[in-house]
Amino acid sequence: MTLAHSVKGRYVLAVYKSSWSSALTLALSVSLVSPVVGEGQTAESAGTGLNQLTEQFNTTVQPFLANHCIDCHGADDPQAKLDLSRFRTVNSVSEAHQTWQEIIERLEADEMPPAEIDHRPTSEQRREIIDWITAAREFEAARHAGDPGLVLARRLSNAEYNYTIRDLTGVDIRPTATFPVDPANEAGFDNSGESLALSPGLLNKYLEAARHVVEHLVLKPDGIAFAPHPVVTDTDRDKYCVKRIVEFYLRQPVDYAAYFRAAWQYRHRAAHGRADASLDDLAAANQISSKYLSIVWSLLNDAENSVGPVAKLQAMFRDLPSDSTQTDTIQSGCERMRDFVTVLRGKLVPKFDNLRIEGVHVGSQPFVLWKNRQYAAHRRSFDPAVLVARSDAPDDDASEETATVDADLLIPAGDGERARHEAAFAKFCRVFPDAFFISERGRDYVKESEKQQGEKGRLLSAGFHSMMGYFRDDGPLYDMVLNESQRQELDSLWRELDFVASAPMRQYVGFLWFERTDSRFMRDPQFDFARAEDREAQSAEMIQKLAEVYLAKAEANGGEPVAMEAIAHYFREINEQIRWVENARLAAEPSHLQAVQDFAERAYRRPLSSEERDELVAFYRTLRGDDGLTHEEAIQDAIVSILVSPHFSYRLDLGRPDSEVLSSANGRRQLTAYELASRLSYFLWSSMPDETLLQAAASGKLHDAETLLEQTQRMLRDDRVRGLATEFGGNWLDFRRFEEHNSVDRERFPEFTDELRQAMFEEPIRFFVDVAQNDRSVLDFLNADHTFVNDVLARHYGIPVPEEVAADDWDRIDNAAQYSRGGLLPMSVFLTKNAPGLRTSPVKRGYWVVRRLLGERIPPPPPNVPELPNDESRLGDLTLREALAQHRDNKSCAGCHERIDSVGLVFEGFGPVGERRDVDLGGRPVDTAATLPGGIDAADVGDLQTYLVEQRRDDFLDNLCRKLLSYALGRSLILSDELLIRDMRSRLESDDFRFGSLIESIVTSPQFLNKRNDSSTPE
């Protein structure tokens, strides 16, 4: 698809039938597909089994249904909306295998038919039906083993869209903030074609999202980038460029103490077992500049002119202890050396007077920039006049003036001695500049008394008044600290400031305005041709003309040579800067167009065809030629066209037929390498493949088991596995939207702040990521004795945190059981999510355990069931435990509550926001004892964890396998997946329950590596 028309940023969407129609057809047509015959099983053998099952169905199953089930579950008003009369063949049973799995569970529990029915089947009759259902499921699973199932091409979910935009642009823009919440499929995940439909309204949302992303687009001298904030105004562009330069400066190692410490290490290297260590080695170990460390080392060991500040610094260096165990003494000594240098250097900064010409404002750009250049050129020099000579007379004869001068600046009065000391000061200043760089500058031309509070924070400012303009002053850093690649990076950043923010043009416009207002120098009629609002005033001819007229008046007003040269230099330099930007922008256009094509290739997650590249270029040229858009506007529209294309916003790799790939005889085909790369990345990261994964696909080796597993393991170790923790873990465990949880009464629970809520949300994600990245046992989810907390969560849990730990730092807490934490169960996010707000809820908490962790199916409560009071303090004389016991007296409630209440009661030691407590909100002592299903007594959550591992481990593992497989495949499970689930379980147990074993079983399975070739399956 493309954008057929675009006018000044207003986009009109035109959909090409050849792309969107095919995608939407696949996404919106849900056709019933007959499952395929499994590998290794012939149609003849399958038919034999089907005949036997059919005979048993007719002779045993249907009579059982007629005698014991149809009265309640017939076609007329079926109870629980379960109509069993519609099942007349084995195939009809296979198509509703999940329904029949629930029937097995009810029969095995002897819950169906109900106990109150007079004519109930015998245990043998029930066993016959259970065995038949089991055999039918086994038959169908084996017959269709490895079937990839029907996976619809679908749009990216909101989360996938956000993550993909993040990885595509390098910026976490999150453009789906206003999208409606994605619905989940029956497995509880929002990453399947079953739920991710695309309405016309949502299509408009995608267009708005694409436009929002493009607001972050930055055209650079050699390509494109995306800013972390919109860059639609000049101020936005300034912020983007200036921040990057300042951040570069602040990353550089310019702390003198670090260099003195490294020099000490080099001096004593032999005594500490590093005799062969070089200065380069120690610079790398200390993460400082090798080049500058060499300069500092030379000064500290230079015997020539070792007087004055150099001699004093050398003496301080020699006085450092040689014993490496005296760490604090060595460090404090290096810091004293640093303080000596910085204090003394601050007294040696040269001063420069303002330039003046009658009629020219002292703050005029030419004069301010001249003064800036003087300071920049003398960062490594000093004014000898600040040194004060002293006589050899006794101290009591010293003059009053000399007695008030800092001793560091006093030198002997003799000519020879003074020369030696001045040379030492010069050497000192060459090594230690008065500043490595200037990151902010105020108006230096005004008196200190006239400076305003706003002088601070003017990052990279040239120091003009009421005008924008930047001045680069980083010579010492550039010359003494940076290596060649860092120099190139810094030069590039400063070029980007001019290129992206139009800095020279805007600075010159400010000059024209200032000279006609505050300065008044250009109010004469001969200057009328040069006006700020006239774009032609920035042309080379007009700048040259203004320079001649301006200089003529300045000379007539008695301008001195230095001031006149400052003015001439200004006009020459500003013209060169403006011309460079214009020429660079013209030269950069081909690189921008190429960058758009590269962007499309990454966005589509596969190589572009030559036709697709030609179409993008043609679209750009149409926008420029027919629609009259500027280069920047046309590039923006081209990016929008990519982002609204189904090749980006749809997972076409899942369901698109591909005529270039031969169909196999059984109606499935292997994913292409790029399809497999996308399937793998959206499974593990919820985002697009990275460059490494795409290169593996391009190499043709991604289907090799060894390469596939290498990539899988690499991706699990990557920080982007947080996408799996958040999207799979968050939906599986039902905390995905806890960041928006607002049911807590903050007046009653003031400790529940936004920061605590975010920390609660983060805890299970950190735990899950740790399990995935370190390939831990999945049983850690149930009974680990550790968790992860930050300062806010630690205080909530009563866990002591060292004072030096920052509030945003997360730490692993071992032996967490001493704080009643560890594993998933006692995490406050689940305890809070499953509490009404002013009381706890054993029902909700118990339901969460048996439903989310164990996978039990619990039907919804019957209508008109009375609810418990919302406020725990209003239960009267009853405890919550007693109120629930009364609730279970209702026969329609008892069956389910027996399965969940006791599990929930062991959490009563945790209040409504997961806080530890001994009494409830009504002041009654809490009781956490319960008898769990199966007659197991539990005193607290620790006993519940033991129960789950020892008694319900298989249920947990089965549920985890099913949930993870459904999420990975992006569809509900089908009967043919049963054999894969068994294999996952078996491999998991043989691999010490490693999380990685589950992932490896899935990504190497036929279901993951293949897809149905089209909507019809060969016989």
Side-chain angles (χ1 to χ4, degrees):
M1 66 81 53
T2 186
L3 292 176
H5 190 58
S6 176
V7 181
K8 303 301 182 186
R10 294 180 59 85
Y11 307 100
V12 179
L13 188 63
V15 179
Y16 280 172
K17 293 182 179 179
S18 62
S19 56
W20 267 105
S21 61
S22 61
L24 293 176
T25 298
L26 282 167
L28 301 178
S29 64
V30 184
S31 58
L32 293 176
V33 181
S34 300
V36 297
V37 175
E39 295 178 356
Q41 183 178 25
T42 66
E44 182 179 356
S45 64
T48 301
L50 181 59
N51 291 337
Q52 294 173 347
L53 289 169
T54 300
E55 181 180 352
Q56 294 172 359
F57 181 75
N58 293 331
T59 60
T60 303
V61 178
Q62 283 196 315
F64 183 94
L65 296 178
N67 292 332
H68 302 289
C69 305
I70 296 301
D71 286 347
C72 295
H73 298 287
D76 297 332
D77 192 23
Q79 292 188 15
K81 298 181 180 180
L82 174 60
D83 177 11
L84 295 180
S85 66
R86 63 188 176 94
F87 296 107
R88 300 180 183 276
T89 65
V90 175
N91 283 338
S92 66
V93 173
S94 299
E95 290 171 359
H97 68 92
Q98 291 177 324
T99 297
W100 284 82
Q101 175 60 31
E102 292 186 38
I103 292 174
I104 283 184
E105 293 173 2
R106 294 293 178 266
L107 288 172
E108 287 182 333
D110 199 13
E111 296 175 356
M112 191 173 90
E116 60 268 21
I117 299 298
D118 293 333
H119 181 59
R120 299 189 78 235
T122 65
S123 59
E124 290 79 7
Q125 289 173 321
R126 284 191 296 105
R127 176 48 54 190
E128 283 184 326
I129 303 303
I130 291 171
D131 290 344
W132 183 89
I133 298 173
T134 302
R137 289 171 57 84
E138 291 281 349
F139 170 78
E140 289 295 319
R143 184 166 63 150
H144 311 308
D147 178 15
L150 179 62
V151 182
L152 302 175
R154 62 166 176 84
R155 64 177 173 85
L156 297 176
S157 69
N158 294 347
E160 290 172 335
Y161 192 96
N162 284 338
Y163 293 137
T164 304
I165 289 293
R166 177 201 65 192
D167 294 340
L168 182 62
T169 65
V171 180
D172 194 9
I173 300 173
R174 303 188 185 186
T176 69
T178 62
F179 282 27
V181 173
D182 287 328
N185 65 2
E186 65 180 45
F189 302 112
D190 57 9
N191 69 337
S192 74
E194 304 162 40
S195 56
L196 292 177
L198 183 65
S199 65
L202 193 55
L203 185 58
N204 289 329
K205 288 284 188 181
Y206 272 111
L207 179 57
E208 293 173 8
R211 294 171 62 182
H212 179 54
V213 172
V214 164
E215 290 179 348
H216 294 250
L217 178 65
V218 178
L219 301 187
K220 302 173 71 173
D222 56 356
I224 65 174
F226 291 83
H229 53 82
V231 285
V232 295
T233 68
D234 289 334
T235 302
D236 295 333
R237 296 167 190 256
D238 285 349
K239 176 182 175 182
Y240 169 73
C241 297
V242 169
K243 183 178 180 181
R244 280 157 52 85
I245 295 173
V246 172
E247 286 177 346
F248 177 93
Y249 285 153
L250 297 180
R251 288 196 304 268
Q252 305 314 311
V254 293
D255 182 357
Y256 294 135
Y259 289 92
F260 296 143
R261 180 65 181 264
W264 177 90
Q265 293 172 349
Y266 184 68
R267 181 184 182 191
H268 299 288
R269 62 191 183 280
H272 301 111
R274 300 198 62 185
D276 58 344
S278 65
L279 283 172
D280 289 347
D281 294 334
L282 292 170
N286 288 277
Q287 297 182 317
I288 58 178
S289 167
S290 173
K291 181 164 58 173
Y292 190 58
L293 177 58
S294 179
I295 294 172
V296 171
W297 172 258
S298 296
L299 179 73
L300 293 174
N301 293 274
D302 187 359
E304 184 179 358
N305 286 331
S306 293
V307 297
V310 175
K312 183 170 182 177
L313 191 64
Q314 291 174 341
M316 295 174 73
F317 183 62
R318 288 193 300 269
D319 288 342
L320 294 176
S322 60
D323 184 0
S324 62
T325 63
Q326 300 185 43
T327 304
D328 293 342
T329 303
I330 296 167
Q331 181 62 32
S332 61
C334 292
E335 291 172 357
R336 282 194 298 273
M337 293 173 66
R338 175 196 60 200
D339 296 342
F340 165 73
V341 170
T342 54
V343 170
L344 177 58
R345 194 61 185 85
K347 300 171 183 176
L348 300 172
V349 179
K351 302 296 182 183
F352 300 94
D353 294 330
N354 294 328
L355 294 179
R356 297 184 182 277
I357 294 178
E358 181 183 347
V360 179
H361 194 287
V362 69
S364 181
Q365 286 190 21
F367 289 176
V368 172
L369 292 172
W370 173 87
K371 195 171 185 181
N372 289 346
R373 290 194 297 274
Q374 305 313 305
Y375 282 116
H378 293 84
R379 293 289 172 206
R380 299 175 62 188
S381 60
F382 78 109
D383 182 1
V386 302
L387 302 181
V388 179
R390 65 177 182 182
S391 67
D392 293 330
D395 291 343
D396 54 359
D397 294 333
S399 67
E400 181 178 347
E401 178 182 357
T402 302
T404 63
V405 175
D406 194 303
D408 290 323
L409 302 179
L410 294 175
I411 62 174
D415 292 340
E417 285 299 308
R418 182 178 182 89
R420 286 186 62 212
H421 278 74
E422 285 189 6
F425 272 96
K427 181 186 298 184
F428 178 82
C429 291
R430 283 196 300 274
V431 173
F432 303 113
D434 59 48
F436 281 102
F437 57 84
I438 300 298
S439 59
E440 60 181 297
R441 179 185 283 103
R443 296 173 304 160
D444 188 66
Y445 61 88
V446 301
K447 298 177 181 178
E448 287 295 328
S449 60
E450 298 176 2
K451 290 184 179 180
Q452 301 172 358
Q453 186 175 1
E455 300 293 326
K456 293 292 184 180
R458 293 158 58 109
L459 297 177
L460 306 185
S461 171
F464 302 143
H465 175 68
S466 299
M467 293 175 284
M468 69 78 56
Y470 301 100
F471 185 82
R472 180 176 178 178
D473 188 351
D474 54 25
L477 180 74
Y478 194 87
D479 295 335
M480 296 196 294
V481 176
L482 302 183
N483 59 34
E484 186 56 34
S485 65
Q486 291 171 323
R487 288 182 174 189
Q488 293 176 6
E489 181 182 356
L490 183 56
D491 288 341
S492 176
L493 290 172
W494 275 97
R495 285 194 298 269
E496 287 177 14
L497 176 59
D498 287 348
F499 186 97
V500 173
S502 304
M505 290 83 154
R506 293 163 54 215
Q507 178 182 323
Y508 187 64
V509 168
F511 168 77
L512 297 178
W513 170 84
F514 183 82
E515 295 296 321
R516 302 183 69 87
T517 53
D518 289 32
S519 176
R520 304 185 179 184
F521 189 78
M522 286 175 47
R523 290 192 175 185
D524 300 336
Q526 67 264 33
F527 294 104
D528 286 349
F529 68 92
R531 293 185 175 273
E533 62 271 20
D534 183 5
R535 186 172 179 79
E536 282 300 310
Q538 300 175 31
S539 67
E541 296 77 9
M542 296 290 279
I543 291 176
Q544 177 61 33
K545 180 178 179 181
L546 178 59
E548 294 172 358
V549 177
Y550 196 105
L551 283 166
K553 181 178 178 181
E555 184 176 18
N557 286 6
E560 296 293 333
V562 173
M564 294 294 290
E565 174 53 30
I567 296 171
H569 182 276
Y570 170 78
F571 282 106
R572 288 195 304 270
E573 189 173 70
I574 200 69
N575 181 60
E576 290 175 1
Q577 292 172 349
I578 293 173
R579 303 287 80 78
W580 179 85
V581 172
E582 291 178 343
N583 294 332
R585 286 179 173 173
L586 188 62
E589 289 185 1
S591 75
H592 297 157
L593 193 52
Q594 180 60 51
V596 168
Q597 297 172 63
D598 296 340
F599 180 86
E601 189 162 273
R602 294 179 58 237
Y604 295 169
R605 307 178 281 278
R606 57 170 175 78
L608 294 185
S609 67
S610 57
E611 292 79 6
E612 288 172 322
R613 289 186 179 275
D614 292 344
E615 181 182 315
L616 271 174
V617 173
F619 178 55
Y620 164 83
R621 300 205 186 285
T622 298
L623 295 174
R624 294 296 305 274
D626 296 351
D627 294 345
L629 268 62
T630 66
H631 168 71
E632 183 171 11
E633 291 169 339
I635 291 294
Q636 290 173 340
D637 282 16
I639 295 291
V640 169
S641 75
I642 293 166
L643 295 180
V644 297
S645 166
H647 297 293
F648 169 73
S649 55
Y650 251 69
R651 291 287 309 282
L652 296 179
D653 58 281
L654 295 174
R656 181 182 61 179
D658 192 337
S659 59
E660 296 180 2
V661 181
L662 294 177
S663 300
S664 63
N666 62 4
R668 71 183 72 164
R669 73 160 175 84
Q670 188 180 62
L671 298 174
T672 67
Y674 290 103
E675 289 172 342
L676 179 56
S678 282
R679 187 165 222 183
L680 189 61
S681 69
Y682 280 100
F683 170 31
L684 299 181
W685 292 345
S686 294
S687 184
M688 60 184 285
D690 64 354
E691 187 62 30
T692 303
L693 185 56
L694 289 175
Q695 287 175 357
S699 73
K701 297 180 180 180
L702 189 56
H703 279 100
D704 297 344
E706 182 178 354
T707 301
L708 178 59
L709 291 178
E710 285 177 356
Q711 289 298 316
T712 300
Q713 291 157 6
R714 176 188 69 84
M715 295 171 71
L716 286 173
R717 293 190 298 268
D718 191 282
D719 288 343
R720 280 168 285 193
V721 79
R722 179 183 172 89
L724 179 66
T726 306
E727 303 312 319
F728 167 70
N731 285 291
W732 166 42
L733 299 171
D734 193 29
F735 69 92
R736 180 64 186 89
R737 293 182 177 83
F738 187 78
E739 292 168 299
E740 305 162 7
H741 186 74
N742 286 314
S743 67
V744 175
D745 187 331
R746 297 203 181 192
E747 291 186 4
R748 295 280 291 273
F749 298 99
E751 66 271 25
F752 188 77
T753 61
D754 290 347
E755 292 76 17
L756 178 58
R757 180 177 60 184
Q758 182 62 38
M760 288 180 176
F761 173 76
E762 186 73 15
E763 184 183 10
I765 294 176
R766 297 265 175 172
F767 193 94
F768 193 110
V769 168
D770 178 70
V771 169
Q773 291 189 328
N774 295 289
D775 199 13
R776 303 192 191 281
S777 168
V778 298
L779 298 180
D780 279 2
F781 288 124
L782 297 181
N783 69 341
D785 192 20
H786 68 272
T787 191
F788 296 84
V789 299
N790 66 352
D791 180 64
V792 173
L793 192 60
R795 289 199 303 270
H796 185 61
Y797 286 170
I799 298 175
V801 177
E803 293 183 1
E804 62 270 16
V805 175
D808 294 335
D809 288 345
W810 282 80
D811 290 324
R812 172 176 165 138
I813 302 298
D814 293 314
N815 301 316
Q818 63 182 309
Y819 306 109
S820 300
R821 308 293 168 175
L824 295 178
L825 271 65
M827 288 185 181
S828 55
V829 63
F830 306 122
L831 299 168
T832 305
K833 177 76 165 53
N834 296 295
L838 288 176
R839 66 169 173 85
T840 59
S841 175
V843 175
K844 288 186 176 182
R845 289 174 175 179
Y847 177 84
W848 178 83
V849 172
V850 300
R851 183 73 183 97
R852 296 290 173 172
L853 294 181
L854 303 180
E856 291 189 26
R857 296 179 179 88
I858 306 294
N864 304 320
V865 175
E867 293 190 3
L868 297 172
N870 289 328
D871 191 335
E872 194 171 76
S873 64
R874 297 180 180 178
L875 285 171
D877 296 331
L878 294 177
T879 65
L880 189 55
R881 173 187 295 268
E882 292 166 341
L884 285 173
Q886 289 186 357
H887 194 65
R888 287 195 298 273
D889 288 341
N890 187 330
K891 291 184 178 181
S892 63
C893 301
C896 293
H897 281 277
E898 291 292 343
R899 299 159 63 187
I900 59 180
D901 285 6
S902 61
V903 174
L905 284 170
V906 300
F907 292 103
E908 280 298 277
F910 299 97
V913 291
E915 77 283 12
R916 288 289 297 136
R917 67 176 189 172
D918 296 316
V919 296
D920 65 18
L921 296 182
R924 296 172 290 267
V926 296
D927 181 2
T928 62
T931 301
L932 302 174
I936 306 297
D937 290 333
D940 53 25
V941 172
D943 287 344
L944 175 61
Q945 291 173 315
T946 301
Y947 164 79
L948 293 176
V949 172
E950 294 181 355
Q951 305 295 324
R952 306 297 299 275
R953 186 187 73 181
D954 289 348
D955 294 329
F956 169 74
L957 295 177
D958 183 75
N959 181 54
L960 175 59
C961 289
R962 292 178 183 279
K963 292 295 185 181
L964 190 59
L965 180 60
S966 178
Y967 178 83
L969 298 179
R971 62 166 171 79
S972 295
L973 298 184
I974 56 180
L975 199 53
S976 57
D977 295 324
E978 291 298 318
L979 297 182
L980 174 55
I981 292 170
R982 287 185 201 168
D983 181 66
M984 292 169 64
R985 285 281 310 278
S986 175
R987 182 172 175 178
L988 189 61
E989 294 190 26
S990 65
D991 286 347
D992 296 324
F993 307 100
R994 291 187 305 106
F995 181 81
S997 175
L998 275 183
I999 302 295
E1000 292 165 8
S1001 295
I1002 291 173
V1003 302
T1004 57
S1005 69
Q1007 285 93 324
F1008 194 84
L1009 297 173
N1010 298 279
K1011 68 178 179 181
R1012 291 252 181 98
N1013 194 54
D1014 52 37
S1015 59
S1016 63
T1017 304
E1019 296 294 336

